[in-house]
Structure formats: structure tokens, C-alpha cells
Amino acid sequence: MTLAEPSPQAPRGPGWALRLVASRRFQSFCAAVPCLRRIARRDGEALFDLVGGFVHSQVLFAVVELRLLHRLFDGPATAPALARGTALTADRIEILCNAAVSLGLMRRTRDGYGLARKGAAILGVPGLEAMISHHHVLYRDLADPLAVLGGAETELSKFWPYVFGAAAAQDPDTARRYSDLMSDSQGLVAEETLRRCDLSKAGTVLDIGGGTGAFLSALGQRHGAPALHLFDLPPVVSGARDRFAATGLTDRVQITAGSFRDDPLPVGADVITLVRVLYDHSDTTVMDLLRAVHAALPEGGRLVVSEPMTGGDRPHPAGDAYFAFYCMAMGTGRARSPQVIREMMGAAGFASTVDHGTTRPFVTHVLSAEK
Ligand SMILES: CC(C)=CCC/C(C)=C/CC/C(C)=C/C=C/C(C)=C/C=C/C=C(C)/C=C/C=C(C)/C=C/C=C(C)/C=C/CC(C)(C)O
Ligand SMILES: C[S@@+](CC[C@H](N)C(=O)[O-])C[C@H]1O[C@@H](n2cnc3c(N)ncnc32)[C@H](O)[C@@H]1O
């Protein structure tokens, strides 16, 4: 595509500036002028990161699948040493490790390769390696993003069957597979949610879609007072009793197996939490759920919603790229902005809503509402 050079009489304003940036001659001019060269180089590198980002995520996938970060946690190693125990040759491991160094996951050492800070951080984030390994499903779906955008059937939608109703989630192995993935990644979500919402004075907290109880376990260990009530699908909650026993919370916990799409919600809680639940479901299902939550709460009762959200009129990569496409590929879900969810809370009857924000949009965003 050859863009006409901006004519002298071209209107000034954003159009003029962008037309200039899109001009090959101006880009060549910038590369020759020192103060402009740095901007052009920075934008070019950022653009190339976007172009090559899918290779970067596959380098990360390979490093995680080969457990190289764990190998290096014990100390630096040479490429031949890292190749041992894998099906790869030392020269291919060297290529992978150099790529990992370029991405800040590893560092070059006198003896070969060592762990870098980002690589160490991955080892410290609960559930992150499992999520990275799980991405091969989404990756195959996004090989044809236009098909996903066009609503084609996806592999990912078969990974999370529960969103299609309790009947689809009867298979205990499937239920365990996604519950493990969720409970592994719950650590940071619970940390952020409980830091932003003080639930220490709650009487009873009902966690709807609470999986195998990871959030309630974190809440129960942080606050000694609230009684805890878990509500999730029958094949899912079966894994919860052991967790509560292991955290010494059995006496404070009630477990109800059921579907919020098909069964009445338990009553008696003064706080109801929805942690990474709404974005799995359509607007209709979400509105039905919010109305049922409103009905199940007493006057003055509180709803807490915590899940990754989009940026609304200020889109950000975590919510508007990753989770928006993830939920779209899932088939029924939708990543929503804090504003949209607060409007849905209001439409469901909640008198006041609060945006508690987030420190890390890629982990979660916290809202609450009062009846
Ligand atoms: C010199 C030193 C040592 C330090 C000085 C500098 C310094 C202080 C460094 C700090 C190092 C440090 C502590 C870093 C910590 C980094 C952390 C905590 C990073 C956390 C990253 C978390 C990430 C990337 C989380 C990603 C989560 C994802 C991708 C979750 C996806 C969930 C999905 C898709 C769920 C789907 C389920 C469904 C079906 C949609 O409901
Ligand atoms: C993404 S997981 C989140 C689990 C947990 N809250 C967390 O953040 O780790 C969504 C949860 O909603 C549950 N769920 C989905 N549909 C449900 C339904 N109709 N009734 C009850 N729970 C449901 C799933 O079983 C799953 O545990």
C-alpha cells in the first residue's frame, strides 16, 4: 500500500500527525535524526514485540514444559546439561535458552544459563505454570482468530463444560481438571480481593462458584470470625472437604452442591462472593444470577465480585486482549468492564456499588454492592 505523501494543505491535527508517521519518507527521516531516532527505535521495537509476541509466548511455553526454570532454580547449568533428560539436542536447548535470556526469563552466566528475575517470579506465582501449559488449547483456537471472532466452535469451549450447565460437568475427571487449574491460580486472586474488601466482620460468607474452596480457605485463614459456605456443582465440591480439613476449617464450613442456573441459592449469608464466575457466562445468565444473589441477601447484605475485567473506555491488554479473547474462545463467557458489571448490579436491585480497583488487572478487579 503506497500512502500519498501528506500534501502541504493537509489539515493539521491528529490526522496530519498520523499520516506523517505512516509516511515511509518520514520514517527514514526519523531514523537519521538523533532525537527522533530513539523514538522511532522504541516504537519499532514495541511494534516488533507485537508482531513476534506469539513466538515469545511459545518460547515461554517450551521453557515451562521442559521445566527449565526449576532446573535453573538449583543453580546455573550449561546447555548440554539442560538438554539431558529432554528429547532435544544441546544446540536446540541453547537456542531456546538464548531466546529465554532475550525475554528476561533466564540470564547468561559463565557456566551457561541461570535464572533471571521474571523466571524466578513465575515459579512463585501459584498456578501460573499450569495456566501457561494450559494455553496450548487457546493457542490452537487462536491460530484462526477470525474464526473465533466469527463464533466458530472452539476446543477451549470443551475444556470448561460447566458453563453449559450442571449436566455438562458431570464427568469427575473434567471437573477435577478445571478445578485444579482454578484453585492453583486462586492464590493471587484471593490476596488481592481480601486486601481490597474487608470481610473480617462478615457473619457468613457464601462463595458461589467457589470451586474446591480455595478462596474460602484463604478467607478463613485470614479472618477467624466469618462462617463459610461453599456453593458449586456436585462434581466440583466433592474435592472441597479435603481442602477445608487440611486448613483446619471443617467446623466453620458448610458445603452445598447445586447449580445457580437450576437450583435456589442458599440463604442466611450476609456476604455473597462471586470470584471469577461472571465472565464465564452470558449476560442473561449473569443477570439471573445477580437477581438471585440480591434475593438471597438480607437488607444491608453485601455482594463482592472479583474477576479480571476489561478497561472500559481505557482498554488494557490483560482485560481487553487476553481475557476478552479467552472468554470469547470459551464460547459463552464475556469479559466485562467494572462499569458494565456495576450497571448490571444496579439493574439487579443493588442500591450502591463500589469499585475497589486492582493493583494487577491481569489477576483480578474487585467490586462490591450493598442491598
Ligand atoms: C533484586 C530483587 C530480587 C528484587 C528487586 C525488585 C523487586 C522487588 C522485584 C519483585 C519480584 C517479584 C516479587 C515479582 C512478582 C511478580 C508477580 C507476583 C507476578 C504475577 C504474575 C501473574 C500472572 C502473570 C497471572 C496470570 C494469570 C492468568 C494468565 C490467569 C488466567 C486465568 C484464566 C484464563 C481463567 C480461566 C477460567 C474461566 C473459564 C475463564 O473462568
Ligand atoms: C472459573 S471457575 C472459578 C472458581 C473459583 N471461584 C476461583 O476463582 O478459583 C468458575 C466456577 O463456577 C462454577 N460454576 C459454573 N457454573 C455453575 C453453576 N451453574 N452453578 C454453580 N457453580 C457453577 C464452576 O464449577 C467453577 O468452579
Side-chain angles (χ1 to χ4, degrees), residues 71-78 81-82 107 109-115:
R71 301 272 296 274
L72 294 176
F73 191 73
D74 299 330
T78 62
L82 291 171
R107 57 189 169 79
T109 66
R110 201 179 41 255
D111 307 322
Y113 298 94
L115 205 49

Side-chain angles (χ1 to χ4, degrees), residues 8-351:
Q9 66 276 11
R12 286 189 172 280
W16 178 78
L18 292 178
R19 283 171 62 83
L20 202 54
V21 169
S23 136
R24 187 73 205 92
R25 275 172 52 199
F26 180 72
Q27 289 181 7
S28 301
F29 168 72
C30 287
V33 176
C35 63
L36 293 178
R37 184 160 52 217
R38 274 194 300 278
I39 298 171
R41 180 160 179 257
R42 192 187 59 209
D43 281 2
E45 285 173 347
L47 207 49
F48 186 74
D49 263 358
L50 210 47
V51 169
F54 73 105
V55 177
H56 302 172
S57 57
Q58 292 306 84
V59 166
L60 173 63
F61 180 81
V63 165
V64 167
E65 288 298 284
L66 293 172
R67 293 180 60 79
L68 295 183
L69 300 175
H70 293 270
R71 301 272 296 274
L72 294 176
F73 191 73
D74 299 330
T78 62
L82 291 171
R84 277 195 287 280
T86 75
L88 304 181
T89 59
D91 66 329
R92 289 300 167 90
I93 284 285
E94 188 163 14
I95 292 172
L96 177 59
C97 290
N98 286 335
V101 170
S102 76
L103 298 177
L105 298 170
M106 294 181 188
R107 57 189 169 79
R108 292 299 299 262
T109 66
R110 201 179 41 255
D111 307 322
Y113 298 94
L115 205 49
R117 203 168 75 222
K118 274 193 241 175
I122 286 175
L123 297 178
V125 178
L128 187 50
E129 284 184 286
M131 196 47 77
I132 292 166
S133 294
H134 154 71
H135 278 151
H136 66 91
V137 178
L138 178 60
Y139 199 82
R140 280 194 291 273
D141 285 336
L142 288 184
D144 186 351
L146 296 184
V148 174
L149 285 162
E153 186 178 73
T154 60
E155 187 180 343
L156 191 67
S157 61
K158 302 181 188 70
F159 184 87
W160 306 100
Y162 60 71
V163 289
F164 299 105
Q170 288 316 315
D171 168 30
D173 287 341
T174 307
R176 185 173 51 255
R177 189 180 60 196
Y178 69 63
S179 293
D180 287 351
L181 198 55
M182 294 323 298
S183 53
D184 289 348
S185 66
Q186 172 60 237
L188 290 181
V189 175
E191 186 183 289
E192 187 82 27
T193 307
L194 297 174
R195 185 190 298 143
R196 291 179 173 274
C197 255
D198 178 10
L199 299 183
S200 61
K201 299 184 179 59
T204 300
V205 178
L206 170 63
D207 189 24
I208 294 173
T212 54
F215 176 73
L216 283 181
S217 296
L219 193 163
Q221 289 173 300
R222 187 183 182 112
H223 302 310
L228 311 170
H229 194 165
L230 174 68
F231 181 88
D232 206 310
L233 296 167
V236 175
V237 294
S238 59
R241 286 199 191 288
D242 296 345
R243 176 189 300 278
F244 291 126
T247 45
L249 294 169
T250 305
D251 298 342
R252 288 172 57 189
V253 163
Q254 182 181 351
I255 298 175
T256 303
S259 164
F260 57 68
R261 294 164 69 120
D262 315 295
D263 305 314
L265 296 181
V267 294
D270 55 321
V271 175
I272 291 179
T273 51
L274 290 168
V275 182
R276 299 192 297 183
V277 171
L278 300 186
Y279 67 175
D280 284 350
H281 301 280
S282 68
D283 288 354
T284 306
T285 303
V286 167
M287 279 312 302
D288 290 344
L289 174 55
L290 291 176
R291 288 191 193 99
V293 165
H294 185 267
L297 283 169
E299 281 309 312
R302 268 207 298 170
L303 163 63
V304 176
V305 169
S306 177
E307 65 184 39
M309 299 178 192
T310 60
D313 54 9
R314 298 176 64 191
H316 51 68
D320 292 273
Y322 180 83
F323 283 100
F325 268 73
Y326 192 102
C327 292
M328 182 166 49
M330 226 176 48
T332 60
R334 185 182 151 213
R336 300 175 177 90
S337 69
Q339 185 52 39
V340 164
I341 296 175
R342 293 175 72 183
E343 285 166 5
M344 296 176 94
M345 287 168 156
F350 286 94

